[in-house]
Amino acid sequence: MSERLIMHIDMDAFFAAIEQRDDPSLVGKPVIIGALPGKRGVVSTCSYEARVFGIHSAMPISEAFRRCPQGVYLKPNGPAIREASHLIVETLRGISPVVEPVSVDEAYVDISGLERLIGPPDVIGRLAKQRIREATRLSSSVGIGPNRLIAKLASDAHKPDGLTIIRADQVQAFLYPMPVENMRGVGKHSAESLKRRGIHTIATLRTWSEERLIAVFGDASGRMLYRQARGIWSDHVGEHESRKSISKEHTFNEDCCDPETLRQTMLELAADVARTARREGLTGRGIRLKLRLDGFETHTRSTTLAHPTNLDDVIFKEGWRLYSTSAFCSRPVRLIGIGIFDWSAPVQLDLFDKPNERKIRLAGAKDDIVARFGKSILGIKKAK
DNA sequence: TCTGGGGTCCTTAATCTA
DNA sequence: TCTGTAGATTAAGGACCC
């Protein structure tokens, strides 16, 4: 079998680059996309001119403004972003039929076997970059490797406008000097935990056995670290998995103590969740409330309904019940959010009126069924 | 410095059930 | 019918990603 080749495309400073493209007066200026100064929020992305000031994504907007008051601060331009994103995916589909968008500005493409049709990986990579530039007037960074992990790290290696190709026999040399925080699933918390144990680079991580990593970091994380240190990762590119939840949340500009404002906000959020769910033809049994209080203290409360729903008032009522029966309902609220999840059908139950003789099978909550059939049944068992 | 919004996945503990 | 137990399910919290 021929070598697997996965290409990862990552757009350069995507939201900011769109603004600079559409308004030439912004070219060469620090452009910061995210919340507006004076409001609560963070930087979503920023132009390379803004990065000179030490600004980066996820930085509080107040801090960004302190560092660069002369910057141009804008909210993301949703329609322009979606349009460019669509063009990028269509362009990539013109190169390979196997394209997996992972976000608005990133995609994986399986280019295995295209070498005979198009040329070696560097020719394929340059072609992708060139066609994306022609379609969108935007620059991208491309990485090509034997699997998704290596392709993604390769696209990160030379930004902006980079093209990096890592062949299977170059993977070790590519990975070894990297800091542990470059790995998937290793954020601030895990990186600190690894460093406390003397693991700063992937080369050191590689010296740990799988058993030892599992013992320290748990089953899933331990296995993942072990595999990543060896450059082992999925090379499957396919359709994006269907979504598992729908949620909406709102952060108040000042912590909210007014129950009526909270109620009204939750009503609007619930309506928004319900609208999205109906549009996508989804109904959920799980309702989850999210609260963020003063001091950034975050709590969730969830419940399972007897029947799946996508109705505004059902979502709101359950959300409000979770809130008003929680221990937090008298505290100032920074953020409130509500969501639905669990698209599974109600549990199937068998009803018996004689021992071992099934009378009827139906779907629903056990309590509802007992209430409906009462004493006329002998027992209920979960359907096999 | 003071931290959005919309998601996914993992871990742990409590509870339910076969 | 009672009881102990293993496995499944539910709920909550947290890390992480884009």
Side-chain angles (χ1 to χ4, degrees), chain A residues 235-254:
Chain A
D235 59 13
H236 173 77
V237 177
E239 287 304 306
H240 206 47
E241 293 268 312
S242 56
R243 69 150 94 206
K244 302 199 166 154
S245 63
I246 299 169
S247 63
K248 300 285 169 194
E249 54 194 61
H250 175 75
T251 297
F252 296 100
N253 232 10
E254 281 172 15

Side-chain angles (χ1 to χ4, degrees), chain A residues 6-12 48 102 105-108 129 140-145 147-166 174 178 184:
Chain A
I6 308 302
M7 176 164 73
H8 180 254
I9 291 88
D10 197 354
M11 300 302 293
D12 300 322
Y48 286 89
V102 283
D105 73 331
E106 257 186 78
Y108 288 97
K129 284 164 62 72
S140 57
S141 292
V142 167
I144 296 176
N147 60 46
R148 298 167 69 106
L149 172 73
I150 304 303
K152 165 95 176 155
L153 291 171
S155 74
D156 267 344
H158 298 105
K159 274 183 143 293
D161 204 18
L163 170 62
T164 308
I165 293 144
I166 305 295
F174 177 62
M178 283 191 183
R184 306 295 87 197

Side-chain angles (χ1 to χ4, degrees), chain A residues 361-373:
Chain A
R361 170 172 291 180
L362 33 78
K366 194 172 170 180
D367 290 352
D368 287 357
I369 290 165
V370 172
R372 255 170 75 197
F373 291 85

Side-chain angles (χ1 to χ4, degrees), chain A residues 15 78 80 86 122 128 141 143 175 180 188 253 269 283 287 295 298 304 309 347 360 365 368:
Chain A
F15 298 180
H86 176 74
D122 61 305
S141 292
L175 283 179
V180 286
K188 198 174 153 221
N253 232 10
L269 294 170
T283 56
I287 305 284
T298 307
T304 303
T309 191
V347 182
I360 189 173
D368 287 357

Side-chain angles (χ1 to χ4, degrees), chain A residues 69-109:
Chain A
Q70 71 273 38
V72 179
Y73 290 82
L74 297 167
K75 294 215 278 188
N77 179 348
I81 289 165
R82 279 190 292 276
E83 194 207 344
S85 184
H86 176 74
L87 282 172
I88 293 160
V89 174
E90 287 311 303
T91 301
L92 294 171
R93 291 210 167 112
I95 294 173
S96 162
V98 191
V99 176
E100 180 187 324
V102 283
S103 70
V104 287
D105 73 331
E106 257 186 78
Y108 288 97
V109 184

Side-chain angles (χ1 to χ4, degrees), chain A residues 43-75:
Chain A
V43 175
S44 180
T45 189
C46 62
S47 67
Y48 286 89
E49 294 84 355
R51 296 181 195 195
V52 174
F53 295 87
I55 298 173
H56 54 81
S57 57
M59 172 182 276
I61 210 77
S62 52
E63 172 65 12
F65 190 70
R66 205 166 294 129
R67 289 173 185 242
C68 184
Q70 71 273 38
V72 179
Y73 290 82
L74 297 167
K75 294 215 278 188

